[in-house]
Amino acid sequence: MAKESDKSATKAVRKNKAKLDRSGLLSTIVPVWFLLLNVAGLALFSLGFLLTRPVLPDIAVKSETYSDPAVVLPKPFQRVVFILIDALREDFITGSAPADSYISTLVTPAKYAESQPENAAVFKFIADPPTTTLQRLKALTTGSLPTFIDAGSNFNGAAILEDSWVSQLLAKNGFDRIAFAGDDTWVSLFPALLNGTDSSINKTFPYESFNVLDIHTVDNGVTAHLAPLLERRSEWDVLIGHYLGVDHTGHRYGPNTEVMKDKLAQMDDVVKSVISAIEDDEDTLLVVLGDHGMDEKGDHGGDSKGEIEAGLFIYSSRPFLAPSDEITTVNQIDIVPTLSLLLDIPIPFNSLGSPIASVFKGPKSDFHQLASASRIVSEQINSYRSRHPSFANSTDVSILFNEANLAWVNQDYEKASSLYLAFQSANVNACRDMWARFDLVSMTLGIALLVATFATMIAFYAIFNGDSACASDYLSMFFKRIVLGTAIGTLGGYGSTEFVLSDRTLIVTVFGASVGSLLGFLSCLLRMRKSLPSISLPSKWTTLALVYTAAHGMLFASNSYVVWETRSLSYLLVTFGFILLAASFGITDPIQRGTTVYNSVMFIILARAAEYPKLCREEQLPFCTSNFYSSPDSSVSSVTVIIILFLVPIVLPSVIRSFLRTSASDEGSAKAWIGAGLRLALALVGLYWTLDYAEMDPRSITAPEDIRPFKYMISRLLIGIALIGGPLAWFRASPLCLRVEMTNNQELIKRAAEEGDIETVEKTKPVSVEILGFANAYGSLYLLLFLCLYAGVALCNKPMGGIALAGMIYQILTLLEISDALDIPQKSVLLIPTILGLMGTQYYFATGHQATLVSIQWDVAFLFTETTKPPLPHIALILNTFGPYILAGFAAPLSVLYKLSPSPKDFRASEITLSKVLRSSIGMMIYTTLLTVINFVMTAVLRRHLMVWKIFAPRFMLAGGALIAVDVAVVLATYAGAKSVSSIFDVFG
C-alpha cells in the first residue's frame, strides 16, 4: 500500500509539474500578445507621423532650351575631381577659426580663394537635416530633400533609383568613366560603380565605412589611389574620393584635439597635391566639400549650427568665378544643377537646387550666363512640378516662373535671373511645407489601438489578482479566442477597404487584426463573467503608481520639460524616496524600521546621484556642463573614471551579497555566481575599457593593432558568458542559493531524558534540518539570471555609464528591500514596476544618452568586431542605447519574487506565484504603454510646433524604442520567472 501511495503521489507531482510548465508557457504568450499590439500601434502612428518623400522615377533629358541660340553657358569642364571630406565643418575650411586653434590647419582652400578669386572660392555649404552621411549623399547626387525618417536608414542604405548626376554620367559615358575610392556607401547607393572593378584597369576602390575606431585606413587608401588616377586623367570623367578620417576623428576624439589637428593637416596636403596635379589643366574642375559638419563634441545627425554648416571649395586653373569679398552661403542641393551644367549633362529630374550664382556669372559678372543657367534649372523644376500630383492645384509659385520667362523674352537678364532664382527658392520652401503633411488617419488609429491595448492591460491586471483568480485558470481559453478574433479581424479589416480607406489597405488590415484580437479577449471575459472576482478600488500605492506615470507623461507637453527631463525624473524619484522614508517610520519592529529607513535614505541618495553623469544636449547650454567624457568637447573617457570603474567589481558584488545575507540567501550558488563570476565579469569590463583607452591614446607606446585583438577577445568572451553561457547554465542547472544544515540532536534528547524533560524529548527529532536561503528562494534564483544580463549591459556602456549602472543595481536592491519591509507587493503589484520604469529612463540619461540622434554612441558598434556584419554590432548598440530600459523590464518579476518563500507540496501556491509574476510583468507594460500613449498624443497635438523635429520627434522615437525594448525584456522576464517557479516546485513541490 505504501509503494502504491508513493507512486500515486509521484504521478500527481509529475502531472502538476507538467501543468505548471504549460501554464508558464501560456503566461509568456500574454506579454507576447501585448508586445505585438504595441508594435502594431507604434507602426500605425509612425506611418502617419514620420514623413516620407515621394520620388518620381522619371529620368531627365536635355530640353530644347539647351540648344536655344539665346542661351549662353560657360564652357563645360571635361573632368571633375570630387573630393568629399566627411564631416568637413565650415570653420575647418573657410579660415574663420582662430589661427592658434586646433582646427586652423586646413588652410590651402582659403589661401587660394583669397589669392585667385576668379579661380577658387570657398562657400558655407548648408546641409538639410538629418545630417547623416547616407542622406547627405542622396542630396548631393540627386538634389532632393531628405525627410526625418530617412535618418533611420543610415546603416541600411539601398541603391538610389531616382535620377542623379552619377547615373546621368554612367548613362552618357559608360560605367568605366567614373573612378572612385573611399566610403563604400557609394557602391551601396550606386552598384554600377562596382562594374569599374571588372574593367581592364580597376578604377573602383571601396573601403568599409562604419569603423569609427579607424581614422587612417580609408584616408590612406584613398590617397594611395588618388595620385595614379590623377596621372591617368584621360581614363575618367569624374574622380570621386571620399575621406572618412575627419568624421571618425570627431566621433572618437572630438574636434578640438591634437588628433584632429593632424588629420586636417593631412587633408590640407591632399588638397595641395590635387591642385598641383591639375594646375596646368583648364578642363578639370576640383570640388572639395563636406557632406555635413559636426557639433562641439564631434558628433552629427541633428540640426545644430555646427552640424548643418559644412564647407565647399571649388577650383580650376581656368578663371570661371565671379570674385566675392565675402564667403557666400549656398545649399547643398545647389551643387547638383551646378555640376550637371558644368559637365554638360541633364539636371536630375527630382533636383530642387539652384545654380551657384558666382559660377555662372563668371569673372565678367555676366547676368546673361546666370539667367541662361537659371532658366534651364527652372524649366527642369517646372517639369518636375507638372509631373508631381501634389502640385496639381498650386499656382502661387508658377507665377514667378511666368514672370521670369517674360523678363527673359524682354532680354532683361538680371531681372530674369533674379526671378528664376526666386522661383527656385519658393519651390523648395513649398516642397518642405508639402512634405510636412501628416497622415492623421494613421496617427489616430495608432493612438486608438494603444489606448485599447492599455485598457485591456488594466482589465487583465485588475481581474486576475493572483489570489481569488489565477490567469493560468483561463489562459487556454484566452489563447483560442484571441487567435480566432485576430483571424476574423484581419478578414474584416481587409474586406472593409472595398468601402472605406481603399488607399490604406495595410493600415486598415493591421488595425482590424489588432482590434479583432482585443475583441476576442473581451468575449472571453463576457463568457466567464460570473466566475470572475469583483474588481475592487485601487489601493493608495496603485493610485500613486498611476499618478507617477501620468506625471512623467505630462512632461511631453512642453519642449523645455522634454529638454530637462532628467531633472524632472530625479525630482520624481527623490520624492518617492521621501514617501518611502515616511512610510518606514510606521514599521513596528525597531531593527527592521532602522534598516528600512537606511535603505530609503540610500534610495534618495542614489536617485540624486544618478543625475550627476551628464552629456548635455545643445538646448541645455550654457546651463549644463557635460562630464560624461574627459571634457565637454571630447568623446574619450577620463582616466579617473576608468580607475573608479575598477572599484565596481570590488564593491558591487559585496553589496549584492549583503542584501542576500538578510534572508540567508548568500549561500549555495550565490557565492560562486556573485562572489567570483560577477566580480570577474566586472573586472573584465574595466580591463576592456582600459585597453580601449590605451588604443585611443596617441601617446600610447603600444600600437593600436597590437591592442585590438586583446580587446575583442575580452569583449567576445564576456558577452558570450553573460548572454549565452550564464543563461544556459541557469536554465539547465537552476542554481539555487540554498544550503542545508543538518543538526544531530541525540545529545540534546539524551540530556533532556536524564533531566526528565519529557516534552523536549517528544518534540525534538533525532536530526533537524534547516534550509538557509529558504525565505528568498524565488528571488535569489531569479537575481542570478538578472545579474548575467546586467554584466552584458555593463560591458556595452562607456566607463561612466558602467558606474551609473552599478548604482542602478544598488538602487533596485534598496527598492526591493523597502518593498518587502512595507509589504507593498501584497497591496499593489503595479507600484514597483512603475518605479523601475522611471529608473530605466533616468539611467538612460545617466549612461550618456539624450533624446537626440546625436547622442547615439555609434562607436560601441565596434565593441566586438571591426566590421558592421550582424549580429554583434547590433547587439552592442541595443544594449548600449536601451540597456537601462531592458534591465528595468527584466527586473519586474523581482518585485514579487524577492523575499518570497516557497510553499512545499502546495501546487496552488505555485500557480498563484506564477500569476503574480505575470501580473508584475503586465504592471511594467502598463507603465510603458500609458507613457507611450501620452507621448503619442502630445506629439500629435504639437506636430506643428516649431521644435517638433528637433525635440518632440526624437523623444517620440525614444518612447517607441523604449516601449519595444521594455516589452521584449518583459516577455523574456515572464518566461524566466515561470522557469524560476517551476524550478522551485521541482525541489519543494
Side-chain angles (χ1 to χ4, degrees):
M1 287 290 292
K3 290 184 178 180
E4 291 180 3
S5 177
D6 290 343
K7 287 182 179 180
S8 178
T10 303
K11 186 177 180 180
V13 170
R14 289 177 179 173
K15 182 179 179 181
N16 288 337
K17 177 64 167 58
K19 183 179 179 182
L20 190 64
D21 289 342
R22 183 172 180 272
S23 296
L25 183 60
L26 290 173
S27 295
T28 307
I29 292 175
V30 176
V32 169
W33 174 49
F34 285 134
L35 165 63
L36 295 176
L37 289 172
N38 280 338
V39 168
L42 173 61
L44 291 175
F45 186 88
S46 300
L47 286 173
F49 178 70
L50 294 179
L51 308 172
T52 57
R53 174 178 59 87
V55 175
L56 297 179
D58 303 60
I59 304 298
V61 294
K62 284 188 175 182
S63 66
E64 295 179 357
T65 304
Y66 280 85
S67 56
D68 186 341
V71 170
V72 179
L73 292 173
K75 177 185 176 182
F77 288 94
Q78 300 301 311
R79 287 170 296 277
V80 170
V81 181
F82 191 87
I83 303 296
L84 197 158
I85 301 177
D86 210 292
L88 182 66
R89 201 168 67 188
E90 175 262 342
D91 57 342
F92 291 177
I93 195 174
T94 58
S96 59
D100 58 347
S101 72
Y102 286 118
I103 58 177
S104 61
T105 52
L106 209 174
V107 296
T108 298
K111 287 181 178 179
Y112 270 85
E114 182 178 358
S115 62
Q116 302 180 33
E118 295 183 354
N119 299 78
V122 172
F123 301 88
K124 182 183 292 185
F125 205 35
I126 303 299
D128 288 290
T131 49
T132 48
T133 295
L134 185 142
Q135 283 65 48
R136 296 292 84 238
L137 291 184
K138 287 182 177 179
L140 290 169
T141 54
T142 67
S144 57
L145 295 174
T147 58
F148 191 85
I149 196 172
D150 287 339
S153 61
N154 197 43
F155 277 78
N156 187 31
I160 292 179
L161 301 179
E162 61 185 299
D163 199 9
S164 67
W165 60 261
V166 175
S167 61
Q168 287 284 355
L169 276 172
L170 291 170
K172 176 184 177 183
N173 301 331
F175 62 80
D176 60 346
R177 298 299 297 176
I178 294 183
F180 167 76
D183 185 345
D184 61 355
T185 304
W186 282 85
V187 296
S188 297
L189 298 178
F190 303 102
L193 289 176
L194 288 173
N195 293 330
T197 62
D198 299 328
S199 60
S200 58
I201 301 177
N202 182 19
K203 295 191 289 291
T204 300
F205 308 96
Y207 290 86
E208 169 70 39
S209 60
F210 285 114
N211 188 355
V212 296
L213 307 182
D214 187 347
I215 65 174
H216 296 303
T217 300
V218 176
D219 289 4
N220 294 340
V222 175
T223 301
H225 294 299
L226 208 59
L229 286 170
L230 285 170
E231 293 176 359
R232 309 196 310 264
R233 292 197 290 276
S234 62
E235 298 175 5
W236 48 264
D237 300 318
V238 174
L239 169 58
I240 301 171
H242 189 153
Y243 286 87
L244 290 171
V246 171
D247 178 73
H248 289 185
T249 301
H251 285 301
R252 192 70 167 151
Y253 299 97
N256 298 309
T257 59
E258 284 283 354
V259 183
M260 181 63 81
K261 179 180 180 180
D262 295 340
K263 179 54 65 176
L264 290 175
Q266 181 187 4
M267 294 299 100
D268 194 58
D269 291 339
V270 170
V271 174
K272 282 192 283 190
S273 67
V274 176
I275 291 176
S276 176
I278 65 171
E279 61 184 355
D280 59 346
D281 183 355
E282 292 192 348
D283 289 326
T284 299
L285 173 70
L286 170 63
V287 178
V288 179
L289 72 163
D291 54 344
H292 51 74
M294 62 176 67
D295 63 14
E296 70 282 351
K297 201 171 66 62
D299 294 325
H300 59 89
D303 62 352
S304 67
K305 182 177 183 292
E307 293 170 89
I308 65 172
E309 292 184 355
L312 169 66
F313 170 66
I314 54 178
Y315 167 84
S316 174
S317 59
R318 178 210 305 173
F320 73 110
L321 290 166
S324 175
D325 295 331
E326 57 184 24
I327 295 175
T328 307
T329 298
V330 298
N331 292 317
Q332 279 197 350
I333 56 175
D334 295 345
I335 197 68
V336 174
T338 301
L339 271 182
S340 299
L341 291 171
L342 291 177
L343 289 171
D344 193 27
I345 57 175
I347 299 169
F349 192 82
N350 291 281
S351 174
L352 301 173
S354 301
I356 297 176
S358 60
V359 173
F360 293 96
K361 285 169 66 177
K364 298 180 180 179
S365 293
D366 188 343
F367 281 99
H368 190 180
Q369 282 192 161
L370 177 59
S372 299
S374 300
R375 177 175 173 80
I376 292 174
V377 173
S378 296
E379 284 190 343
Q380 168 264 319
I381 291 176
N382 194 55
S383 176
Y384 170 79
R385 289 172 60 86
S386 66
R387 290 278 293 114
H388 202 295
S390 301
F391 294 109
N393 299 317
S394 176
T395 58
D396 294 343
V397 176
S398 299
I399 293 174
L400 289 171
F401 181 64
N402 295 332
E403 292 177 355
N405 285 336
L406 182 60
W408 171 267
V409 171
N410 294 331
Q411 298 184 5
D412 187 347
Y413 296 123
E414 184 172 358
K415 181 179 180 181
S417 60
S418 176
L419 287 171
Y420 279 133
L421 291 171
F423 163 71
Q424 295 155 20
S425 177
N427 177 71
V428 168
N429 293 331
C431 289
R432 287 194 175 103
D433 292 339
M434 180 182 65
W435 294 335
R437 294 174 185 170
F438 302 93
D439 185 349
L440 294 181
V441 173
S442 184
M443 292 171 67
T444 303
L445 292 178
I447 292 174
L449 179 55
L450 285 176
V451 169
T453 303
F454 170 73
T456 305
M457 290 178 182
I458 290 289
F460 194 99
Y461 176 87
I463 292 171
F464 302 107
N465 53 33
D467 293 326
S468 56
C470 290
S472 56
D473 299 332
Y474 307 97
L475 285 175
S476 182
M477 184 189 303
F478 287 159
F479 181 71
K480 294 176 183 177
R481 292 290 181 107
I482 289 171
V483 170
L484 179 61
T486 302
I488 296 174
T490 302
L491 294 174
Y494 182 79
S496 66
T497 57
E498 293 291 329
F499 310 100
V500 293
L501 301 176
S502 58
D503 58 335
R504 294 183 174 91
T505 302
L506 178 62
I507 291 174
V508 176
T509 302
V510 170
F511 184 75
S514 303
V515 171
S517 69
L518 291 170
L519 292 177
F521 174 78
L522 179 60
S523 70
C524 194
L525 293 185
L526 292 175
R527 179 177 177 182
M528 58 186 189
R529 60 186 181 277
K530 294 183 180 179
S531 61
L532 293 176
S534 58
I535 300 176
S536 57
L537 293 174
S539 67
K540 62 180 181 180
W541 292 113
T542 299
T543 303
L544 182 64
L546 295 174
V547 168
Y548 261 68
T549 305
H552 186 187
M554 292 310 295
L555 299 177
F556 306 140
S558 166
N559 59 307
S560 57
Y561 276 110
V562 172
V563 168
W564 295 99
E565 184 177 357
T566 180
R567 288 190 178 180
S568 300
L569 290 173
S570 178
Y571 173 79
L572 289 174
L573 288 170
V574 168
T575 303
F576 179 72
F578 278 107
I579 293 174
L580 295 177
L581 180 62
S584 300
F585 288 104
I587 299 174
T588 55
D589 182 86
I591 297 177
Q592 190 179 38
R593 180 173 61 247
T595 303
T596 308
V597 168
Y598 170 78
N599 284 327
S600 299
V601 172
M602 287 306 303
F603 182 90
I604 294 170
I605 293 173
L606 290 167
R608 192 71 182 85
E611 193 184 349
Y612 174 76
K614 294 184 182 69
L615 186 66
C616 306
R617 58 187 293 164
E618 178 193 2
E619 297 84 359
Q620 293 175 337
L621 302 175
F623 307 105
C624 175
T625 302
S626 296
N627 59 14
F628 194 80
Y629 297 108
S630 57
S631 65
D633 56 357
S634 173
S635 296
V636 180
S637 298
S638 72
V639 176
T640 303
V641 171
I642 294 176
I643 292 173
I644 296 174
L645 185 64
F646 274 104
L647 295 178
V648 173
I650 298 173
V651 176
L652 185 62
S654 299
V655 170
I656 295 172
R657 292 183 66 182
S658 71
F659 278 98
L660 292 178
R661 207 169 289 126
T662 61
S663 57
S665 300
D666 186 30
E667 301 289 347
S669 302
K671 293 181 178 179
W673 202 284
I674 301 173
L678 180 63
R679 199 181 301 276
L680 176 61
L682 295 177
L684 289 175
V685 170
L687 179 58
Y688 173 87
W689 288 109
T690 301
L691 292 174
D692 181 77
Y693 180 86
E695 181 191 2
M696 293 170 57
D697 189 354
R699 300 165 298 178
S700 176
I701 60 175
T702 307
E705 55 269 20
D706 295 332
I707 297 175
R708 209 165 291 142
F710 293 99
K711 274 180 51 183
Y712 293 145
M713 179 183 69
I714 292 170
S715 61
R716 291 174 183 175
L717 174 66
L718 184 50
I719 201 69
I721 293 174
L723 299 187
I724 300 176
L728 279 177
W730 187 89
F731 276 96
R732 291 181 65 86
S734 300
L736 301 178
C737 301
L738 303 174
R739 181 164 66 88
V740 179
E741 280 193 354
M742 302 182 68
T743 305
N744 190 333
N745 297 321
Q746 296 289 353
E747 289 296 327
L748 177 62
I749 294 173
K750 182 179 179 180
R751 189 164 54 251
E754 291 174 351
E755 295 175 356
D757 188 351
I758 305 300
E759 183 178 357
T760 300
V761 173
E762 291 178 348
K763 289 184 177 181
T764 305
K765 295 181 179 180
V767 178
S768 61
V769 178
E770 182 180 7
I771 303 176
L772 298 179
F774 182 81
N776 192 20
Y778 286 111
S780 59
L781 173 61
Y782 188 88
L783 181 63
L784 298 185
L785 181 63
F786 174 77
L787 292 175
C788 286
L789 179 61
Y790 158 66
V793 173
L795 171 65
C796 296
N797 276 270
K798 301 291 183 71
M800 181 70 85
I803 296 170
L805 289 172
M808 181 182 186
I809 300 302
Y810 190 3
Q811 192 174 7
I812 288 174
L813 290 171
T814 62
L815 179 64
L816 295 174
E817 283 287 341
I818 298 167
S819 172
D820 173 67
L822 297 177
D823 202 22
I824 292 177
Q826 298 300 319
K827 302 167 185 174
S828 172
V829 178
L830 182 61
L831 178 62
I832 302 304
T834 298
I835 301 303
L836 288 172
L838 283 167
M839 289 170 58
T841 306
Q842 173 75 333
Y843 282 94
Y844 167 82
F845 294 111
T847 52
H849 297 94
Q850 288 283 352
T852 61
L853 293 174
V854 178
S855 71
I856 298 175
Q857 297 169 14
W858 297 109
D859 55 329
V860 174
F862 304 98
L863 196 143
F864 305 111
T865 176
E866 293 183 359
T867 69
T868 56
K869 184 179 180 181
L872 289 178
H874 302 73
I875 292 172
L877 276 174
I878 290 171
L879 292 182
N880 173 271
T881 306
F882 297 107
Y885 288 108
I886 294 170
L887 288 175
F890 203 77
L894 278 172
S895 64
V896 294
L897 295 178
Y898 192 76
K899 295 289 184 76
L900 180 65
S901 59
S903 299
K905 298 181 180 180
D906 188 344
F907 171 70
R908 185 60 178 175
S910 296
E911 279 196 312
I912 290 174
T913 302
L914 177 59
S915 188
K916 288 181 178 178
V917 168
L918 176 57
R919 210 162 174 248
S920 68
S921 298
I922 301 304
M924 175 61 76
M925 298 182 96
I926 286 174
Y927 164 77
T928 52
T929 303
L930 177 57
L931 195 67
T932 305
V933 167
I934 298 174
N935 177 274
F936 284 15
V937 170
M938 293 302 176
T939 302
V941 170
L942 299 169
R943 66 188 183 277
R944 295 298 181 188
H945 194 281
L946 180 65
M947 293 292 179
V948 62
W949 300 117
K950 191 175 184 66
I951 294 178
F952 294 108
R955 189 58 185 87
F956 148 74
M957 296 177 73
L958 173 60
L963 175 69
I964 303 305
V966 171
D967 283 2
V968 170
V970 164
V971 170
L972 299 175
T974 305
Y975 182 74
K979 174 62 178 176
S980 298
V981 174
S982 178
S983 298
I984 297 297
F985 183 80
D986 281 340
V987 178
F988 298 103

